[in-house]
Amino acid sequence: QVQLVESGGGLVQVGRSLRLSCAASGRFFSINDMGWYRQAPGKQRELVAVITSGGHTDYADSVKGRFTISRDNAKNAVTLQMNSLKPDDTAVYYCNAAVVRIGYVRESIWGQGTQVTVSS
């Protein structure tokens, strides 16, 4: 079974920074895209940032210039560096990985979520 374990959320003041980390464990052949999503109370889950296995990145307009996604393919890990945080960034953040299992079965795996709260 493939699992994603997240860490790094918490409470922070406006303008400060947080770093989220996520690592995959279990048996799989490879991981394609890895990304971070977030869901605020009463809102739908939305894409924050995604990175391909080759390092190509894409960001939501609301976080461009403030957030940076990176990954370590050797460790099957992805990181989200969040700077200049705003109250609107408050949400539960979820790590996601497009995993290719042994036998080439593709599956989208989600982490358990980590709360990020930005206070003004």
Side-chain angles (χ1 to χ4, degrees), residues 60-75:
D61 287 342
S62 59
V63 307
K64 283 181 180 177
R66 299 188 298 121
F67 291 11
T68 301
I69 189 170
S70 59
R71 68 188 281 175
D72 184 333
N73 289 332
K75 296 181 179 180

PDB file of all heavy atoms in Angstrom, residues 60-75:
ATOM      1  N   ALA A  60      -1.141  27.947  -8.927  1.00  0.00           N
ATOM      2  CA  ALA A  60      -2.352  28.739  -8.937  1.00  0.00           C
ATOM      3  C   ALA A  60      -1.958  30.208  -8.978  1.00  0.00           C
ATOM      4  O   ALA A  60      -0.946  30.617  -8.404  1.00  0.00           O
ATOM      5  CB  ALA A  60      -3.179  28.450  -7.685  1.00  0.00           C
ATOM      6  N   ASP A  61      -2.760  31.016  -9.662  1.00  0.00           N
ATOM      7  CA  ASP A  61      -2.433  32.439  -9.788  1.00  0.00           C
ATOM      8  C   ASP A  61      -2.294  33.100  -8.419  1.00  0.00           C
ATOM      9  O   ASP A  61      -1.474  34.003  -8.238  1.00  0.00           O
ATOM     10  CB  ASP A  61      -3.517  33.151 -10.595  1.00  0.00           C
ATOM     11  CG  ASP A  61      -3.464  32.815 -12.067  1.00  0.00           C
ATOM     12  OD1 ASP A  61      -2.421  32.310 -12.539  1.00  0.00           O
ATOM     13  OD2 ASP A  61      -4.474  33.047 -12.759  1.00  0.00           O
ATOM     14  N   SER A  62      -3.080  32.645  -7.461  1.00  0.00           N
ATOM     15  CA  SER A  62      -3.107  33.284  -6.147  1.00  0.00           C
ATOM     16  C   SER A  62      -1.817  33.083  -5.356  1.00  0.00           C
ATOM     17  O   SER A  62      -1.581  33.801  -4.375  1.00  0.00           O
ATOM     18  CB  SER A  62      -4.288  32.746  -5.331  1.00  0.00           C
ATOM     19  OG  SER A  62      -4.185  31.339  -5.176  1.00  0.00           O
ATOM     20  N   VAL A  63      -0.980  32.122  -5.752  1.00  0.00           N
ATOM     21  CA  VAL A  63       0.246  31.858  -4.993  1.00  0.00           C
ATOM     22  C   VAL A  63       1.510  32.107  -5.796  1.00  0.00           C
ATOM     23  O   VAL A  63       2.618  31.989  -5.256  1.00  0.00           O
ATOM     24  CB  VAL A  63       0.262  30.418  -4.444  1.00  0.00           C
ATOM     25  CG1 VAL A  63      -1.017  30.120  -3.658  1.00  0.00           C
ATOM     26  CG2 VAL A  63       0.461  29.397  -5.551  1.00  0.00           C
ATOM     27  N   LYS A  64       1.366  32.453  -7.062  1.00  0.00           N
ATOM     28  CA  LYS A  64       2.556  32.688  -7.892  1.00  0.00           C
ATOM     29  C   LYS A  64       3.417  33.801  -7.295  1.00  0.00           C
ATOM     30  O   LYS A  64       2.912  34.835  -6.878  1.00  0.00           O
ATOM     31  CB  LYS A  64       2.134  33.064  -9.311  1.00  0.00           C
ATOM     32  CG  LYS A  64       1.679  31.892 -10.159  1.00  0.00           C
ATOM     33  CD  LYS A  64       1.292  32.333 -11.561  1.00  0.00           C
ATOM     34  CE  LYS A  64       0.836  31.133 -12.398  1.00  0.00           C
ATOM     35  NZ  LYS A  64       0.381  31.539 -13.746  1.00  0.00           N
ATOM     36  N   GLY A  65       4.713  33.548  -7.253  1.00  0.00           N
ATOM     37  CA  GLY A  65       5.643  34.520  -6.698  1.00  0.00           C
ATOM     38  C   GLY A  65       5.820  34.414  -5.197  1.00  0.00           C
ATOM     39  O   GLY A  65       6.726  35.030  -4.635  1.00  0.00           O
ATOM     40  N   ARG A  66       4.949  33.646  -4.535  1.00  0.00           N
ATOM     41  CA  ARG A  66       5.045  33.499  -3.076  1.00  0.00           C
ATOM     42  C   ARG A  66       5.374  32.060  -2.664  1.00  0.00           C
ATOM     43  O   ARG A  66       6.081  31.844  -1.683  1.00  0.00           O
ATOM     44  CB  ARG A  66       3.734  33.907  -2.414  1.00  0.00           C
ATOM     45  CG  ARG A  66       3.333  35.345  -2.667  1.00  0.00           C
ATOM     46  CD  ARG A  66       2.121  35.748  -1.823  1.00  0.00           C
ATOM     47  NE  ARG A  66       0.931  34.954  -2.142  1.00  0.00           N
ATOM     48  CZ  ARG A  66       0.277  34.215  -1.262  1.00  0.00           C
ATOM     49  NH1 ARG A  66       0.673  34.149   0.009  1.00  0.00           N
ATOM     50  NH2 ARG A  66      -0.817  33.543  -1.634  1.00  0.00           N
ATOM     51  N   PHE A  67       4.853  31.089  -3.403  1.00  0.00           N
ATOM     52  CA  PHE A  67       5.052  29.683  -3.076  1.00  0.00           C
ATOM     53  C   PHE A  67       6.007  29.054  -4.083  1.00  0.00           C
ATOM     54  O   PHE A  67       6.010  29.419  -5.264  1.00  0.00           O
ATOM     55  CB  PHE A  67       3.740  28.919  -3.119  1.00  0.00           C
ATOM     56  CG  PHE A  67       2.758  29.264  -2.025  1.00  0.00           C
ATOM     57  CD1 PHE A  67       2.937  30.345  -1.186  1.00  0.00           C
ATOM     58  CD2 PHE A  67       1.622  28.469  -1.836  1.00  0.00           C
ATOM     59  CE1 PHE A  67       2.036  30.657  -0.189  1.00  0.00           C
ATOM     60  CE2 PHE A  67       0.707  28.756  -0.845  1.00  0.00           C
ATOM     61  CZ  PHE A  67       0.918  29.861  -0.025  1.00  0.00           C
ATOM     62  N   THR A  68       6.789  28.088  -3.605  1.00  0.00           N
ATOM     63  CA  THR A  68       7.695  27.348  -4.472  1.00  0.00           C
ATOM     64  C   THR A  68       7.578  25.857  -4.173  1.00  0.00           C
ATOM     65  O   THR A  68       7.709  25.444  -3.020  1.00  0.00           O
ATOM     66  CB  THR A  68       9.149  27.784  -4.256  1.00  0.00           C
ATOM     67  OG1 THR A  68       9.276  29.185  -4.516  1.00  0.00           O
ATOM     68  CG2 THR A  68      10.079  27.024  -5.202  1.00  0.00           C
ATOM     69  N   ILE A  69       7.320  25.084  -5.211  1.00  0.00           N
ATOM     70  CA  ILE A  69       7.244  23.629  -5.065  1.00  0.00           C
ATOM     71  C   ILE A  69       8.533  23.011  -5.577  1.00  0.00           C
ATOM     72  O   ILE A  69       9.100  23.469  -6.579  1.00  0.00           O
ATOM     73  CB  ILE A  69       6.007  23.055  -5.805  1.00  0.00           C
ATOM     74  CG1 ILE A  69       5.821  21.574  -5.458  1.00  0.00           C
ATOM     75  CG2 ILE A  69       6.113  23.258  -7.304  1.00  0.00           C
ATOM     76  CD1 ILE A  69       4.484  21.004  -5.950  1.00  0.00           C
ATOM     77  N   SER A  70       9.001  21.987  -4.902  1.00  0.00           N
ATOM     78  CA  SER A  70      10.204  21.278  -5.332  1.00  0.00           C
ATOM     79  C   SER A  70      10.056  19.809  -4.954  1.00  0.00           C
ATOM     80  O   SER A  70       9.200  19.467  -4.129  1.00  0.00           O
ATOM     81  CB  SER A  70      11.457  21.875  -4.681  1.00  0.00           C
ATOM     82  OG  SER A  70      11.378  21.806  -3.276  1.00  0.00           O
ATOM     83  N   ARG A  71      10.877  18.965  -5.551  1.00  0.00           N
ATOM     84  CA  ARG A  71      10.791  17.551  -5.225  1.00  0.00           C
ATOM     85  C   ARG A  71      12.163  16.911  -5.262  1.00  0.00           C
ATOM     86  O   ARG A  71      13.071  17.387  -5.944  1.00  0.00           O
ATOM     87  CB  ARG A  71       9.822  16.805  -6.153  1.00  0.00           C
ATOM     88  CG  ARG A  71      10.256  16.689  -7.581  1.00  0.00           C
ATOM     89  CD  ARG A  71       9.144  16.115  -8.441  1.00  0.00           C
ATOM     90  NE  ARG A  71       9.012  14.675  -8.327  1.00  0.00           N
ATOM     91  CZ  ARG A  71       8.055  13.954  -8.915  1.00  0.00           C
ATOM     92  NH1 ARG A  71       7.122  14.570  -9.637  1.00  0.00           N
ATOM     93  NH2 ARG A  71       8.015  12.641  -8.770  1.00  0.00           N
ATOM     94  N   ASP A  72      12.267  15.820  -4.523  1.00  0.00           N
ATOM     95  CA  ASP A  72      13.483  15.006  -4.492  1.00  0.00           C
ATOM     96  C   ASP A  72      13.061  13.624  -4.962  1.00  0.00           C
ATOM     97  O   ASP A  72      12.454  12.865  -4.208  1.00  0.00           O
ATOM     98  CB  ASP A  72      14.045  14.970  -3.071  1.00  0.00           C
ATOM     99  CG  ASP A  72      15.362  14.221  -2.973  1.00  0.00           C
ATOM    100  OD1 ASP A  72      15.599  13.325  -3.819  1.00  0.00           O
ATOM    101  OD2 ASP A  72      16.137  14.498  -2.057  1.00  0.00           O
ATOM    102  N   ASN A  73      13.349  13.310  -6.205  1.00  0.00           N
ATOM    103  CA  ASN A  73      12.895  12.043  -6.777  1.00  0.00           C
ATOM    104  C   ASN A  73      13.527  10.841  -6.074  1.00  0.00           C
ATOM    105  O   ASN A  73      12.900   9.786  -5.947  1.00  0.00           O
ATOM    106  CB  ASN A  73      13.198  11.993  -8.262  1.00  0.00           C
ATOM    107  CG  ASN A  73      12.317  12.935  -9.068  1.00  0.00           C
ATOM    108  OD1 ASN A  73      11.191  13.230  -8.665  1.00  0.00           O
ATOM    109  ND2 ASN A  73      12.823  13.424 -10.184  1.00  0.00           N
ATOM    110  N   ALA A  74      14.743  10.995  -5.611  1.00  0.00           N
ATOM    111  CA  ALA A  74      15.423   9.888  -4.931  1.00  0.00           C
ATOM    112  C   ALA A  74      14.729   9.537  -3.620  1.00  0.00           C
ATOM    113  O   ALA A  74      14.754   8.382  -3.185  1.00  0.00           O
ATOM    114  CB  ALA A  74      16.879  10.241  -4.681  1.00  0.00           C
ATOM    115  N   LYS A  75      14.116  10.530  -2.990  1.00  0.00           N
ATOM    116  CA  LYS A  75      13.424  10.318  -1.717  1.00  0.00           C
ATOM    117  C   LYS A  75      11.915  10.240  -1.877  1.00  0.00           C
ATOM    118  O   LYS A  75      11.195  10.100  -0.883  1.00  0.00           O
ATOM    119  CB  LYS A  75      13.777  11.438  -0.747  1.00  0.00           C
ATOM    120  CG  LYS A  75      15.249  11.478  -0.366  1.00  0.00           C
ATOM    121  CD  LYS A  75      15.530  12.601   0.619  1.00  0.00           C
ATOM    122  CE  LYS A  75      16.993  12.621   1.013  1.00  0.00           C
ATOM    123  NZ  LYS A  75      17.293  13.716   1.973  1.00  0.00           N
TER     124      LYS A  75
END
